[in-house]
Amino acid sequence: MSVCFLALGAGLLVGGGIADFELRRFERLGAADLASRLHGEGKQVNVDAEVDGIVGALAGRLSYATLTASKFTVDGMPVFLEAGTQRGSIGTLKLRFTDFSIRGLRVESLEADIPGCRFDLGSAQRKRKIKLTRSGVGTATARITETALADYIRLKYPAVKEVTVELKKHRAFVTGRAELLLLKTDFFVIASLVPQAGTQLWLEDAIVFLNDERVRDGSERRLLDTLNPVVDANRDLGLRSALVV
């Protein structure tokens, strides 16, 4: 996966550069700011950052900034790019999110490392708020369980009344019951889970059984059209093209 943007939520700078004691203080403020955008009584949030040496402290350079959060729910991406200057820099912006739900999809973990980020140094100095104004392209890994994917399919598609998902050997095995045109149909689908358009996951190259009989006359397309795309990161999850698969 490629990560195209993200933002850090609260100020970490003071004066003309970065003082260590202020950095620690504003890490706490940053965590509070991020927490204000997440839901859940048991949520846990932390922000950790480090300056890039003495010269970096004077120039407004952070070697890294890490946003850690767990046990929360969120309606779309909780951080985003903003307009501003690019005088400050973050060598690597790191996300470490675990045990959270985004628009009903339960995610076991999300880890991302985004290099080459820029932020508005003047805004950080005057308002104690970081505006991330540019991000590089990095890598991300998301872990979603089979149970979580099945639960999400039921939530997303009212026509699907029962469903289980098994992922093995690069194939998805989807079993369930759907109501199509007022008819209840048991289905079993063996398919590849394939990325499309960079932000979607589709069931493709499918073998379809309806009511225990393999279907090859084209009528299986109605079921596949009901299920696809299984996940649309922009439309379903509100990720604003942050993740490209």
PDB file of all heavy atoms in Angstrom, residues 1 144-146 149-150 153 157 165-174 189-196 200-206 224 227-232 245:
ATOM      1  N   MET A   1       0.836  -1.182   0.000  1.00  0.00           N
ATOM      2  CA  MET A   1       0.000   0.000   0.000  1.00  0.00           C
ATOM      3  C   MET A   1       0.876   1.240   0.000  1.00  0.00           C
ATOM      4  O   MET A   1       1.938   1.238   0.592  1.00  0.00           O
ATOM      5  CB  MET A   1      -0.885   0.037   1.244  1.00  0.00           C
ATOM      6  CG  MET A   1      -1.890  -1.100   1.326  1.00  0.00           C
ATOM      7  SD  MET A   1      -2.936  -0.918   2.764  1.00  0.00           S
ATOM      8  CE  MET A   1      -3.900  -2.395   2.636  1.00  0.00           C
ATOM      9  N   ILE A 144      -6.774  -7.180   8.805  1.00  0.00           N
ATOM     10  CA  ILE A 144      -8.216  -7.302   9.025  1.00  0.00           C
ATOM     11  C   ILE A 144      -8.552  -8.789   9.081  1.00  0.00           C
ATOM     12  O   ILE A 144      -8.167  -9.553   8.187  1.00  0.00           O
ATOM     13  CB  ILE A 144      -9.010  -6.628   7.889  1.00  0.00           C
ATOM     14  CG1 ILE A 144      -8.635  -5.147   7.787  1.00  0.00           C
ATOM     15  CG2 ILE A 144     -10.517  -6.784   8.103  1.00  0.00           C
ATOM     16  CD1 ILE A 144      -9.182  -4.464   6.559  1.00  0.00           C
ATOM     17  N   THR A 145      -9.247  -9.218  10.109  1.00  0.00           N
ATOM     18  CA  THR A 145      -9.546 -10.634  10.265  1.00  0.00           C
ATOM     19  C   THR A 145     -10.685 -11.064   9.340  1.00  0.00           C
ATOM     20  O   THR A 145     -11.455 -10.245   8.836  1.00  0.00           O
ATOM     21  CB  THR A 145      -9.934 -10.963  11.710  1.00  0.00           C
ATOM     22  OG1 THR A 145     -11.190 -10.344  12.017  1.00  0.00           O
ATOM     23  CG2 THR A 145      -8.870 -10.476  12.693  1.00  0.00           C
ATOM     24  N   GLU A 146     -10.787 -12.365   9.118  1.00  0.00           N
ATOM     25  CA  GLU A 146     -11.875 -12.910   8.309  1.00  0.00           C
ATOM     26  C   GLU A 146     -13.231 -12.588   8.936  1.00  0.00           C
ATOM     27  O   GLU A 146     -14.185 -12.235   8.235  1.00  0.00           O
ATOM     28  CB  GLU A 146     -11.698 -14.421   8.187  1.00  0.00           C
ATOM     29  CG  GLU A 146     -10.435 -14.835   7.459  1.00  0.00           C
ATOM     30  CD  GLU A 146     -10.102 -16.300   7.631  1.00  0.00           C
ATOM     31  OE1 GLU A 146     -10.494 -16.883   8.668  1.00  0.00           O
ATOM     32  OE2 GLU A 146      -9.440 -16.861   6.733  1.00  0.00           O
ATOM     33  N   LEU A 149     -14.166  -8.985   8.278  1.00  0.00           N
ATOM     34  CA  LEU A 149     -14.588  -8.771   6.899  1.00  0.00           C
ATOM     35  C   LEU A 149     -16.006  -9.279   6.675  1.00  0.00           C
ATOM     36  O   LEU A 149     -16.817  -8.617   6.012  1.00  0.00           O
ATOM     37  CB  LEU A 149     -13.617  -9.470   5.949  1.00  0.00           C
ATOM     38  CG  LEU A 149     -13.751  -9.131   4.459  1.00  0.00           C
ATOM     39  CD1 LEU A 149     -13.624  -7.640   4.218  1.00  0.00           C
ATOM     40  CD2 LEU A 149     -12.706  -9.883   3.654  1.00  0.00           C
ATOM     41  N   ALA A 150     -16.340 -10.420   7.255  1.00  0.00           N
ATOM     42  CA  ALA A 150     -17.695 -10.951   7.132  1.00  0.00           C
ATOM     43  C   ALA A 150     -18.703 -10.021   7.809  1.00  0.00           C
ATOM     44  O   ALA A 150     -19.785  -9.748   7.261  1.00  0.00           O
ATOM     45  CB  ALA A 150     -17.768 -12.348   7.743  1.00  0.00           C
ATOM     46  N   ILE A 153     -19.308  -7.070   5.542  1.00  0.00           N
ATOM     47  CA  ILE A 153     -20.149  -7.381   4.389  1.00  0.00           C
ATOM     48  C   ILE A 153     -21.620  -7.354   4.784  1.00  0.00           C
ATOM     49  O   ILE A 153     -22.469  -6.798   4.069  1.00  0.00           O
ATOM     50  CB  ILE A 153     -19.756  -8.748   3.791  1.00  0.00           C
ATOM     51  CG1 ILE A 153     -18.379  -8.648   3.122  1.00  0.00           C
ATOM     52  CG2 ILE A 153     -20.797  -9.218   2.781  1.00  0.00           C
ATOM     53  CD1 ILE A 153     -17.829  -9.982   2.652  1.00  0.00           C
ATOM     54  N   TYR A 157     -24.072  -4.626   3.041  1.00  0.00           N
ATOM     55  CA  TYR A 157     -25.043  -5.127   2.071  1.00  0.00           C
ATOM     56  C   TYR A 157     -26.248  -5.742   2.782  1.00  0.00           C
ATOM     57  O   TYR A 157     -26.190  -6.900   3.218  1.00  0.00           O
ATOM     58  CB  TYR A 157     -24.384  -6.166   1.167  1.00  0.00           C
ATOM     59  CG  TYR A 157     -23.188  -5.643   0.411  1.00  0.00           C
ATOM     60  CD1 TYR A 157     -21.899  -6.051   0.735  1.00  0.00           C
ATOM     61  CD2 TYR A 157     -23.351  -4.720  -0.616  1.00  0.00           C
ATOM     62  CE1 TYR A 157     -20.800  -5.571   0.041  1.00  0.00           C
ATOM     63  CE2 TYR A 157     -22.256  -4.227  -1.314  1.00  0.00           C
ATOM     64  CZ  TYR A 157     -20.992  -4.653  -0.982  1.00  0.00           C
ATOM     65  OH  TYR A 157     -19.908  -4.163  -1.663  1.00  0.00           O
ATOM     66  N   VAL A 165     -16.387 -15.727   5.825  1.00  0.00           N
ATOM     67  CA  VAL A 165     -15.288 -15.502   4.892  1.00  0.00           C
ATOM     68  C   VAL A 165     -14.069 -16.283   5.374  1.00  0.00           C
ATOM     69  O   VAL A 165     -13.735 -16.268   6.560  1.00  0.00           O
ATOM     70  CB  VAL A 165     -14.935 -14.000   4.794  1.00  0.00           C
ATOM     71  CG1 VAL A 165     -13.724 -13.795   3.889  1.00  0.00           C
ATOM     72  CG2 VAL A 165     -16.130 -13.210   4.277  1.00  0.00           C
ATOM     73  N   GLU A 166     -13.418 -16.962   4.449  1.00  0.00           N
ATOM     74  CA  GLU A 166     -12.154 -17.639   4.734  1.00  0.00           C
ATOM     75  C   GLU A 166     -11.150 -17.233   3.659  1.00  0.00           C
ATOM     76  O   GLU A 166     -11.460 -17.271   2.464  1.00  0.00           O
ATOM     77  CB  GLU A 166     -12.344 -19.153   4.743  1.00  0.00           C
ATOM     78  CG  GLU A 166     -11.081 -19.904   5.150  1.00  0.00           C
ATOM     79  CD  GLU A 166     -11.286 -21.404   5.211  1.00  0.00           C
ATOM     80  OE1 GLU A 166     -12.387 -21.875   4.847  1.00  0.00           O
ATOM     81  OE2 GLU A 166     -10.332 -22.110   5.605  1.00  0.00           O
ATOM     82  N   LEU A 167      -9.973 -16.815   4.086  1.00  0.00           N
ATOM     83  CA  LEU A 167      -8.924 -16.402   3.165  1.00  0.00           C
ATOM     84  C   LEU A 167      -7.759 -17.385   3.266  1.00  0.00           C
ATOM     85  O   LEU A 167      -7.194 -17.559   4.332  1.00  0.00           O
ATOM     86  CB  LEU A 167      -8.446 -14.985   3.497  1.00  0.00           C
ATOM     87  CG  LEU A 167      -9.511 -13.889   3.506  1.00  0.00           C
ATOM     88  CD1 LEU A 167      -8.918 -12.570   3.988  1.00  0.00           C
ATOM     89  CD2 LEU A 167     -10.127 -13.712   2.130  1.00  0.00           C
ATOM     90  N   LYS A 168      -7.416 -18.013   2.136  1.00  0.00           N
ATOM     91  CA  LYS A 168      -6.276 -18.925   2.138  1.00  0.00           C
ATOM     92  C   LYS A 168      -5.794 -19.116   0.707  1.00  0.00           C
ATOM     93  O   LYS A 168      -6.578 -19.087  -0.250  1.00  0.00           O
ATOM     94  CB  LYS A 168      -6.633 -20.268   2.776  1.00  0.00           C
ATOM     95  CG  LYS A 168      -7.736 -21.048   2.096  1.00  0.00           C
ATOM     96  CD  LYS A 168      -8.012 -22.351   2.839  1.00  0.00           C
ATOM     97  CE  LYS A 168      -9.106 -23.161   2.172  1.00  0.00           C
ATOM     98  NZ  LYS A 168      -9.383 -24.428   2.901  1.00  0.00           N
ATOM     99  N   LYS A 169      -4.482 -19.291   0.574  1.00  0.00           N
ATOM    100  CA  LYS A 169      -3.851 -19.549  -0.716  1.00  0.00           C
ATOM    101  C   LYS A 169      -4.263 -18.509  -1.759  1.00  0.00           C
ATOM    102  O   LYS A 169      -4.604 -18.835  -2.897  1.00  0.00           O
ATOM    103  CB  LYS A 169      -4.175 -20.957  -1.204  1.00  0.00           C
ATOM    104  CG  LYS A 169      -3.605 -22.046  -0.295  1.00  0.00           C
ATOM    105  CD  LYS A 169      -3.893 -23.425  -0.834  1.00  0.00           C
ATOM    106  CE  LYS A 169      -3.303 -24.504   0.069  1.00  0.00           C
ATOM    107  NZ  LYS A 169      -3.569 -25.880  -0.407  1.00  0.00           N
ATOM    108  N   HIS A 170      -4.262 -17.239  -1.343  1.00  0.00           N
ATOM    109  CA  HIS A 170      -4.536 -16.121  -2.242  1.00  0.00           C
ATOM    110  C   HIS A 170      -5.959 -16.132  -2.791  1.00  0.00           C
ATOM    111  O   HIS A 170      -6.244 -15.486  -3.809  1.00  0.00           O
ATOM    112  CB  HIS A 170      -3.534 -16.083  -3.403  1.00  0.00           C
ATOM    113  CG  HIS A 170      -2.105 -16.142  -2.965  1.00  0.00           C
ATOM    114  ND1 HIS A 170      -1.497 -15.094  -2.302  1.00  0.00           N
ATOM    115  CD2 HIS A 170      -1.180 -17.123  -3.080  1.00  0.00           C
ATOM    116  CE1 HIS A 170      -0.250 -15.433  -2.045  1.00  0.00           C
ATOM    117  NE2 HIS A 170      -0.027 -16.655  -2.486  1.00  0.00           N
ATOM    118  N   ARG A 171      -6.868 -16.866  -2.149  1.00  0.00           N
ATOM    119  CA  ARG A 171      -8.256 -16.904  -2.595  1.00  0.00           C
ATOM    120  C   ARG A 171      -9.182 -16.616  -1.424  1.00  0.00           C
ATOM    121  O   ARG A 171      -8.853 -16.880  -0.262  1.00  0.00           O
ATOM    122  CB  ARG A 171      -8.603 -18.276  -3.188  1.00  0.00           C
ATOM    123  CG  ARG A 171      -7.773 -18.665  -4.387  1.00  0.00           C
ATOM    124  CD  ARG A 171      -8.241 -17.988  -5.658  1.00  0.00           C
ATOM    125  NE  ARG A 171      -9.366 -18.699  -6.259  1.00  0.00           N
ATOM    126  CZ  ARG A 171     -10.008 -18.277  -7.344  1.00  0.00           C
ATOM    127  NH1 ARG A 171      -9.664 -17.138  -7.915  1.00  0.00           N
ATOM    128  NH2 ARG A 171     -11.007 -18.985  -7.852  1.00  0.00           N
ATOM    129  N   ALA A 172     -10.356 -16.081  -1.748  1.00  0.00           N
ATOM    130  CA  ALA A 172     -11.389 -15.836  -0.753  1.00  0.00           C
ATOM    131  C   ALA A 172     -12.500 -16.865  -0.942  1.00  0.00           C
ATOM    132  O   ALA A 172     -12.963 -17.096  -2.067  1.00  0.00           O
ATOM    133  CB  ALA A 172     -11.947 -14.423  -0.901  1.00  0.00           C
ATOM    134  N   PHE A 173     -12.922 -17.480   0.154  1.00  0.00           N
ATOM    135  CA  PHE A 173     -14.020 -18.439   0.147  1.00  0.00           C
ATOM    136  C   PHE A 173     -15.159 -17.811   0.939  1.00  0.00           C
ATOM    137  O   PHE A 173     -15.069 -17.657   2.165  1.00  0.00           O
ATOM    138  CB  PHE A 173     -13.581 -19.766   0.770  1.00  0.00           C
ATOM    139  CG  PHE A 173     -12.464 -20.447   0.012  1.00  0.00           C
ATOM    140  CD1 PHE A 173     -11.147 -20.018   0.126  1.00  0.00           C
ATOM    141  CD2 PHE A 173     -12.734 -21.509  -0.837  1.00  0.00           C
ATOM    142  CE1 PHE A 173     -10.115 -20.644  -0.569  1.00  0.00           C
ATOM    143  CE2 PHE A 173     -11.718 -22.147  -1.546  1.00  0.00           C
ATOM    144  CZ  PHE A 173     -10.410 -21.707  -1.415  1.00  0.00           C
ATOM    145  N   VAL A 174     -16.225 -17.435   0.239  1.00  0.00           N
ATOM    146  CA  VAL A 174     -17.326 -16.690   0.846  1.00  0.00           C
ATOM    147  C   VAL A 174     -18.582 -17.537   0.787  1.00  0.00           C
ATOM    148  O   VAL A 174     -19.042 -17.933  -0.291  1.00  0.00           O
ATOM    149  CB  VAL A 174     -17.561 -15.357   0.120  1.00  0.00           C
ATOM    150  CG1 VAL A 174     -18.634 -14.536   0.840  1.00  0.00           C
ATOM    151  CG2 VAL A 174     -16.259 -14.550   0.030  1.00  0.00           C
ATOM    152  N   VAL A 189     -18.919 -18.765  -2.932  1.00  0.00           N
ATOM    153  CA  VAL A 189     -18.090 -18.107  -3.925  1.00  0.00           C
ATOM    154  C   VAL A 189     -16.627 -18.366  -3.606  1.00  0.00           C
ATOM    155  O   VAL A 189     -16.180 -18.188  -2.471  1.00  0.00           O
ATOM    156  CB  VAL A 189     -18.345 -16.581  -3.955  1.00  0.00           C
ATOM    157  CG1 VAL A 189     -17.431 -15.907  -4.980  1.00  0.00           C
ATOM    158  CG2 VAL A 189     -19.804 -16.294  -4.280  1.00  0.00           C
ATOM    159  N   ILE A 190     -15.893 -18.807  -4.616  1.00  0.00           N
ATOM    160  CA  ILE A 190     -14.435 -18.923  -4.532  1.00  0.00           C
ATOM    161  C   ILE A 190     -13.865 -17.894  -5.509  1.00  0.00           C
ATOM    162  O   ILE A 190     -14.165 -17.954  -6.705  1.00  0.00           O
ATOM    163  CB  ILE A 190     -13.938 -20.329  -4.897  1.00  0.00           C
ATOM    164  CG1 ILE A 190     -14.623 -21.391  -4.035  1.00  0.00           C
ATOM    165  CG2 ILE A 190     -12.418 -20.417  -4.752  1.00  0.00           C
ATOM    166  CD1 ILE A 190     -14.323 -22.813  -4.476  1.00  0.00           C
ATOM    167  N   ALA A 191     -13.094 -16.950  -5.010  1.00  0.00           N
ATOM    168  CA  ALA A 191     -12.644 -15.870  -5.880  1.00  0.00           C
ATOM    169  C   ALA A 191     -11.330 -15.290  -5.384  1.00  0.00           C
ATOM    170  O   ALA A 191     -10.941 -15.474  -4.235  1.00  0.00           O
ATOM    171  CB  ALA A 191     -13.706 -14.772  -5.956  1.00  0.00           C
ATOM    172  N   SER A 192     -10.675 -14.559  -6.272  1.00  0.00           N
ATOM    173  CA  SER A 192      -9.504 -13.778  -5.888  1.00  0.00           C
ATOM    174  C   SER A 192      -9.974 -12.423  -5.375  1.00  0.00           C
ATOM    175  O   SER A 192     -10.928 -11.849  -5.904  1.00  0.00           O
ATOM    176  CB  SER A 192      -8.570 -13.581  -7.092  1.00  0.00           C
ATOM    177  OG  SER A 192      -8.105 -14.810  -7.583  1.00  0.00           O
ATOM    178  N   LEU A 193      -9.310 -11.929  -4.339  1.00  0.00           N
ATOM    179  CA  LEU A 193      -9.600 -10.600  -3.817  1.00  0.00           C
ATOM    180  C   LEU A 193      -8.600  -9.644  -4.467  1.00  0.00           C
ATOM    181  O   LEU A 193      -7.408  -9.656  -4.153  1.00  0.00           O
ATOM    182  CB  LEU A 193      -9.458 -10.593  -2.296  1.00  0.00           C
ATOM    183  CG  LEU A 193     -10.106  -9.441  -1.523  1.00  0.00           C
ATOM    184  CD1 LEU A 193     -11.611  -9.398  -1.794  1.00  0.00           C
ATOM    185  CD2 LEU A 193      -9.871  -9.608  -0.022  1.00  0.00           C
ATOM    186  N   VAL A 194      -9.081  -8.848  -5.415  1.00  0.00           N
ATOM    187  CA  VAL A 194      -8.213  -8.099  -6.322  1.00  0.00           C
ATOM    188  C   VAL A 194      -8.396  -6.596  -6.128  1.00  0.00           C
ATOM    189  O   VAL A 194      -9.524  -6.101  -6.065  1.00  0.00           O
ATOM    190  CB  VAL A 194      -8.538  -8.458  -7.790  1.00  0.00           C
ATOM    191  CG1 VAL A 194      -7.679  -7.645  -8.752  1.00  0.00           C
ATOM    192  CG2 VAL A 194      -8.336  -9.946  -8.019  1.00  0.00           C
ATOM    193  N   PRO A 195      -7.282  -5.831  -6.030  1.00  0.00           N
ATOM    194  CA  PRO A 195      -7.406  -4.373  -5.964  1.00  0.00           C
ATOM    195  C   PRO A 195      -7.827  -3.792  -7.306  1.00  0.00           C
ATOM    196  O   PRO A 195      -7.397  -4.255  -8.359  1.00  0.00           O
ATOM    197  CB  PRO A 195      -5.993  -3.914  -5.576  1.00  0.00           C
ATOM    198  CG  PRO A 195      -5.089  -5.010  -6.014  1.00  0.00           C
ATOM    199  CD  PRO A 195      -5.881  -6.274  -5.901  1.00  0.00           C
ATOM    200  N   GLN A 196      -8.692  -2.781  -7.251  1.00  0.00           N
ATOM    201  CA  GLN A 196      -9.141  -2.079  -8.440  1.00  0.00           C
ATOM    202  C   GLN A 196      -9.093  -0.577  -8.176  1.00  0.00           C
ATOM    203  O   GLN A 196      -9.438  -0.116  -7.082  1.00  0.00           O
ATOM    204  CB  GLN A 196     -10.583  -2.470  -8.808  1.00  0.00           C
ATOM    205  CG  GLN A 196     -10.772  -3.918  -9.206  1.00  0.00           C
ATOM    206  CD  GLN A 196     -10.387  -4.165 -10.656  1.00  0.00           C
ATOM    207  OE1 GLN A 196      -9.974  -3.252 -11.357  1.00  0.00           O
ATOM    208  NE2 GLN A 196     -10.518  -5.412 -11.107  1.00  0.00           N
ATOM    209  N   GLN A 200     -10.059   0.145  -4.151  1.00  0.00           N
ATOM    210  CA  GLN A 200     -11.146  -0.811  -4.002  1.00  0.00           C
ATOM    211  C   GLN A 200     -10.612  -2.243  -3.986  1.00  0.00           C
ATOM    212  O   GLN A 200      -9.563  -2.537  -4.562  1.00  0.00           O
ATOM    213  CB  GLN A 200     -12.150  -0.679  -5.159  1.00  0.00           C
ATOM    214  CG  GLN A 200     -12.782   0.694  -5.266  1.00  0.00           C
ATOM    215  CD  GLN A 200     -13.645   0.823  -6.510  1.00  0.00           C
ATOM    216  OE1 GLN A 200     -13.598  -0.015  -7.410  1.00  0.00           O
ATOM    217  NE2 GLN A 200     -14.440   1.883  -6.566  1.00  0.00           N
ATOM    218  N   LEU A 201     -11.364  -3.131  -3.323  1.00  0.00           N
ATOM    219  CA  LEU A 201     -11.096  -4.575  -3.350  1.00  0.00           C
ATOM    220  C   LEU A 201     -12.320  -5.279  -3.931  1.00  0.00           C
ATOM    221  O   LEU A 201     -13.441  -5.090  -3.441  1.00  0.00           O
ATOM    222  CB  LEU A 201     -10.799  -5.099  -1.945  1.00  0.00           C
ATOM    223  CG  LEU A 201      -9.474  -4.654  -1.310  1.00  0.00           C
ATOM    224  CD1 LEU A 201      -9.359  -5.197   0.103  1.00  0.00           C
ATOM    225  CD2 LEU A 201      -8.279  -5.117  -2.150  1.00  0.00           C
ATOM    226  N   TRP A 202     -12.090  -6.075  -4.988  1.00  0.00           N
ATOM    227  CA  TRP A 202     -13.157  -6.767  -5.697  1.00  0.00           C
ATOM    228  C   TRP A 202     -12.940  -8.279  -5.642  1.00  0.00           C
ATOM    229  O   TRP A 202     -11.809  -8.754  -5.588  1.00  0.00           O
ATOM    230  CB  TRP A 202     -13.177  -6.348  -7.172  1.00  0.00           C
ATOM    231  CG  TRP A 202     -13.741  -4.982  -7.419  1.00  0.00           C
ATOM    232  CD1 TRP A 202     -13.275  -3.787  -6.941  1.00  0.00           C
ATOM    233  CD2 TRP A 202     -14.874  -4.666  -8.233  1.00  0.00           C
ATOM    234  NE1 TRP A 202     -14.039  -2.749  -7.407  1.00  0.00           N
ATOM    235  CE2 TRP A 202     -15.025  -3.250  -8.202  1.00  0.00           C
ATOM    236  CE3 TRP A 202     -15.758  -5.434  -8.997  1.00  0.00           C
ATOM    237  CZ2 TRP A 202     -16.041  -2.609  -8.902  1.00  0.00           C
ATOM    238  CZ3 TRP A 202     -16.773  -4.782  -9.697  1.00  0.00           C
ATOM    239  CH2 TRP A 202     -16.912  -3.388  -9.645  1.00  0.00           C
ATOM    240  N   LEU A 203     -14.051  -9.009  -5.707  1.00  0.00           N
ATOM    241  CA  LEU A 203     -14.015 -10.447  -5.927  1.00  0.00           C
ATOM    242  C   LEU A 203     -13.984 -10.685  -7.435  1.00  0.00           C
ATOM    243  O   LEU A 203     -14.924 -10.305  -8.152  1.00  0.00           O
ATOM    244  CB  LEU A 203     -15.238 -11.129  -5.307  1.00  0.00           C
ATOM    245  CG  LEU A 203     -15.352 -11.077  -3.786  1.00  0.00           C
ATOM    246  CD1 LEU A 203     -16.703 -11.634  -3.349  1.00  0.00           C
ATOM    247  CD2 LEU A 203     -14.218 -11.846  -3.113  1.00  0.00           C
ATOM    248  N   GLU A 204     -12.907 -11.303  -7.938  1.00  0.00           N
ATOM    249  CA  GLU A 204     -12.756 -11.544  -9.375  1.00  0.00           C
ATOM    250  C   GLU A 204     -12.367 -13.004  -9.612  1.00  0.00           C
ATOM    251  O   GLU A 204     -12.017 -13.727  -8.692  1.00  0.00           O
ATOM    252  CB  GLU A 204     -11.681 -10.610  -9.951  1.00  0.00           C
ATOM    253  CG  GLU A 204     -12.061  -9.125  -9.916  1.00  0.00           C
ATOM    254  CD  GLU A 204     -13.119  -8.760 -10.938  1.00  0.00           C
ATOM    255  OE1 GLU A 204     -13.551  -9.660 -11.709  1.00  0.00           O
ATOM    256  OE2 GLU A 204     -13.538  -7.592 -10.982  1.00  0.00           O
ATOM    257  N   ASP A 205     -12.425 -13.411 -10.895  1.00  0.00           N
ATOM    258  CA  ASP A 205     -12.115 -14.787 -11.293  1.00  0.00           C
ATOM    259  C   ASP A 205     -12.902 -15.773 -10.426  1.00  0.00           C
ATOM    260  O   ASP A 205     -12.354 -16.728  -9.861  1.00  0.00           O
ATOM    261  CB  ASP A 205     -10.608 -15.063 -11.175  1.00  0.00           C
ATOM    262  CG  ASP A 205      -9.788 -14.098 -12.014  1.00  0.00           C
ATOM    263  OD1 ASP A 205     -10.202 -13.779 -13.133  1.00  0.00           O
ATOM    264  OD2 ASP A 205      -8.724 -13.660 -11.524  1.00  0.00           O
ATOM    265  N   ALA A 206     -14.201 -15.526 -10.332  1.00  0.00           N
ATOM    266  CA  ALA A 206     -15.020 -16.226  -9.348  1.00  0.00           C
ATOM    267  C   ALA A 206     -15.619 -17.528  -9.863  1.00  0.00           C
ATOM    268  O   ALA A 206     -16.009 -17.642 -11.034  1.00  0.00           O
ATOM    269  CB  ALA A 206     -16.143 -15.309  -8.875  1.00  0.00           C
ATOM    270  N   LEU A 224     -22.357 -11.245  -7.753  1.00  0.00           N
ATOM    271  CA  LEU A 224     -21.075 -10.551  -7.689  1.00  0.00           C
ATOM    272  C   LEU A 224     -21.270  -9.040  -7.719  1.00  0.00           C
ATOM    273  O   LEU A 224     -20.553  -8.291  -7.035  1.00  0.00           O
ATOM    274  CB  LEU A 224     -20.173 -11.005  -8.838  1.00  0.00           C
ATOM    275  CG  LEU A 224     -19.731 -12.468  -8.785  1.00  0.00           C
ATOM    276  CD1 LEU A 224     -18.953 -12.835 -10.040  1.00  0.00           C
ATOM    277  CD2 LEU A 224     -18.894 -12.733  -7.540  1.00  0.00           C
ATOM    278  N   LEU A 227     -21.993  -7.913  -4.272  1.00  0.00           N
ATOM    279  CA  LEU A 227     -20.880  -7.938  -3.316  1.00  0.00           C
ATOM    280  C   LEU A 227     -19.757  -6.965  -3.673  1.00  0.00           C
ATOM    281  O   LEU A 227     -19.001  -6.546  -2.785  1.00  0.00           O
ATOM    282  CB  LEU A 227     -20.309  -9.359  -3.227  1.00  0.00           C
ATOM    283  CG  LEU A 227     -21.240 -10.444  -2.682  1.00  0.00           C
ATOM    284  CD1 LEU A 227     -20.564 -11.802  -2.781  1.00  0.00           C
ATOM    285  CD2 LEU A 227     -21.632 -10.144  -1.250  1.00  0.00           C
ATOM    286  N   ASN A 228     -19.611  -6.602  -4.937  1.00  0.00           N
ATOM    287  CA  ASN A 228     -18.481  -5.779  -5.368  1.00  0.00           C
ATOM    288  C   ASN A 228     -18.808  -4.288  -5.447  1.00  0.00           C
ATOM    289  O   ASN A 228     -19.922  -3.924  -5.811  1.00  0.00           O
ATOM    290  CB  ASN A 228     -17.983  -6.245  -6.744  1.00  0.00           C
ATOM    291  CG  ASN A 228     -17.136  -7.490  -6.666  1.00  0.00           C
ATOM    292  OD1 ASN A 228     -16.377  -7.681  -5.726  1.00  0.00           O
ATOM    293  ND2 ASN A 228     -17.263  -8.354  -7.660  1.00  0.00           N
ATOM    294  N   PRO A 229     -17.837  -3.446  -5.129  1.00  0.00           N
ATOM    295  CA  PRO A 229     -16.570  -3.797  -4.485  1.00  0.00           C
ATOM    296  C   PRO A 229     -16.800  -4.175  -3.028  1.00  0.00           C
ATOM    297  O   PRO A 229     -17.641  -3.575  -2.351  1.00  0.00           O
ATOM    298  CB  PRO A 229     -15.740  -2.512  -4.607  1.00  0.00           C
ATOM    299  CG  PRO A 229     -16.763  -1.417  -4.643  1.00  0.00           C
ATOM    300  CD  PRO A 229     -17.940  -1.988  -5.373  1.00  0.00           C
ATOM    301  N   VAL A 230     -16.068  -5.156  -2.545  1.00  0.00           N
ATOM    302  CA  VAL A 230     -16.208  -5.568  -1.149  1.00  0.00           C
ATOM    303  C   VAL A 230     -15.883  -4.397  -0.221  1.00  0.00           C
ATOM    304  O   VAL A 230     -16.576  -4.153   0.761  1.00  0.00           O
ATOM    305  CB  VAL A 230     -15.286  -6.768  -0.854  1.00  0.00           C
ATOM    306  CG1 VAL A 230     -15.385  -7.167   0.610  1.00  0.00           C
ATOM    307  CG2 VAL A 230     -15.647  -7.938  -1.747  1.00  0.00           C
ATOM    308  N   VAL A 231     -14.817  -3.680  -0.541  1.00  0.00           N
ATOM    309  CA  VAL A 231     -14.432  -2.488   0.223  1.00  0.00           C
ATOM    310  C   VAL A 231     -14.019  -1.398  -0.760  1.00  0.00           C
ATOM    311  O   VAL A 231     -13.241  -1.648  -1.675  1.00  0.00           O
ATOM    312  CB  VAL A 231     -13.267  -2.764   1.195  1.00  0.00           C
ATOM    313  CG1 VAL A 231     -12.870  -1.479   1.922  1.00  0.00           C
ATOM    314  CG2 VAL A 231     -13.641  -3.845   2.205  1.00  0.00           C
ATOM    315  N   ASP A 232     -14.564  -0.208  -0.581  1.00  0.00           N
ATOM    316  CA  ASP A 232     -14.131   0.984  -1.313  1.00  0.00           C
ATOM    317  C   ASP A 232     -13.577   1.952  -0.271  1.00  0.00           C
ATOM    318  O   ASP A 232     -14.332   2.535   0.505  1.00  0.00           O
ATOM    319  CB  ASP A 232     -15.302   1.616  -2.065  1.00  0.00           C
ATOM    320  CG  ASP A 232     -14.876   2.782  -2.948  1.00  0.00           C
ATOM    321  OD1 ASP A 232     -14.034   3.589  -2.495  1.00  0.00           O
ATOM    322  OD2 ASP A 232     -15.389   2.910  -4.066  1.00  0.00           O
ATOM    323  N   VAL A 245      -3.841   0.749  -2.871  1.00  0.00           N
ATOM    324  CA  VAL A 245      -3.518  -0.668  -2.758  1.00  0.00           C
ATOM    325  C   VAL A 245      -2.849  -1.126  -4.054  1.00  0.00           C
ATOM    326  O   VAL A 245      -3.387  -0.900  -5.140  1.00  0.00           O
ATOM    327  CB  VAL A 245      -4.793  -1.498  -2.521  1.00  0.00           C
ATOM    328  CG1 VAL A 245      -4.440  -2.978  -2.371  1.00  0.00           C
ATOM    329  CG2 VAL A 245      -5.529  -0.992  -1.289  1.00  0.00           C
TER     330      VAL A 245
END
